Amino acid sequence: MIDLSSLTHIAFDADDTLWGHEHVFVDAKKRCLELLSPYMKPGMDLEQELYAFERKNLKIFGYGVKGFTLSMIETAVELSGGKIPGSAIQQIIDLGKEMLTHDIELLPGVREALTALKPHFKLLLITKGELFAQESKIARSGLAAEFDIIEIVSEKDPVTYQNLLDRHGIDPAGFLMLGNSLRSDVLPIVEIGGRAAHLPYEYTWHHEAVNEEEAAAGYWRPEGGLGELVQAVLKGL
Ligand SMILES: [Mg+2]
């Protein structure tokens, strides 16, 4: 547990912190792998093949569903030696469209947490990803009005966070960030002198997994999740 007094700003990650998201990727991946299975060579780990394209393409496409869809198509073309029919490509594109328009389901306790914190702190939403897709999700979530500041960034590293805080004149010493990802939401914040709480989600994307033993101290993972965190923050007032 960390000291939660003297906070001025509380920031939330969005995907898998405010609403479930990774399960959409997990489902889509499963369906994509089913489509690709006819082209699998013996001993091949399809999921690893797809992940290899995904990782390689991150630098070109950035994060998000559209890039992921293109990586699924590239994997399909590659594994089939260019023989995959247009109808199967269409199925992958349809999968991508479904991923971009799915219903947003708020995670338990999110609305209550925002309502409880809003009178006492400036609230930020800081999410990483593609601008159009993230804006659409924020709008569909119905939560936009709860936040004083909404920022969509393409990377969540210490420099990005520091610039963002500077731009809004926020002192890291009074800043608390909550999120499901140690790599993106917690460790960079600790590094710039802010405070962070880790609220793990059911799934963790390969790219996000970090060795917890490498994780610096200075953040808190409340066993009781968001509800326990909100109570502790309110006590620190
Ligand atoms: Mg997240």
Side-chain angles (χ1 to χ4, degrees), residues 15-16 21-32 50 54 63-69 72 99 102 137 205:
D15 290 335
D16 297 325
H21 175 68
E22 186 61 25
H23 70 276
V24 175
F25 274 86
V26 171
D27 287 351
K29 232 173 247 182
K30 216 175 116 210
R31 286 161 63 193
C32 178
L50 176 59
E54 219 186 320
Y63 297 93
V65 170
K66 287 180 210 165
F68 177 65
T69 306
M72 287 196 288
M99 292 171 78
H102 70 91
K137 273 195 285 192
W205 185 37

Side-chain angles (χ1 to χ4, degrees), residues 13 15-17 180 185:
D13 164 55
D15 290 335
D16 297 325
T17 298
N180 70 294
D185 307 318

Side-chain angles (χ1 to χ4, degrees), residues 2-60:
I2 51 171
D3 170 31
L4 291 168
S5 62
S6 316
L7 291 171
T8 56
H9 292 76
I10 300 183
F12 289 77
D13 164 55
D15 290 335
D16 297 325
T17 298
L18 298 176
W19 52 73
H21 175 68
E22 186 61 25
H23 70 276
V24 175
F25 274 86
V26 171
D27 287 351
K29 232 173 247 182
K30 216 175 116 210
R31 286 161 63 193
C32 178
L33 295 180
E34 281 163 18
L35 278 175
L36 293 179
S37 59
Y39 309 105
M40 199 167 86
K41 297 174 186 78
M44 183 182 274
D45 183 341
L46 262 186
E47 200 175 344
Q48 282 305 318
E49 297 287 326
L50 176 59
Y51 179 56
F53 279 105
E54 219 186 320
R55 204 178 35 198
K56 188 184 69 161
N57 288 336
L58 263 186
K59 283 191 208 81
I60 304 165

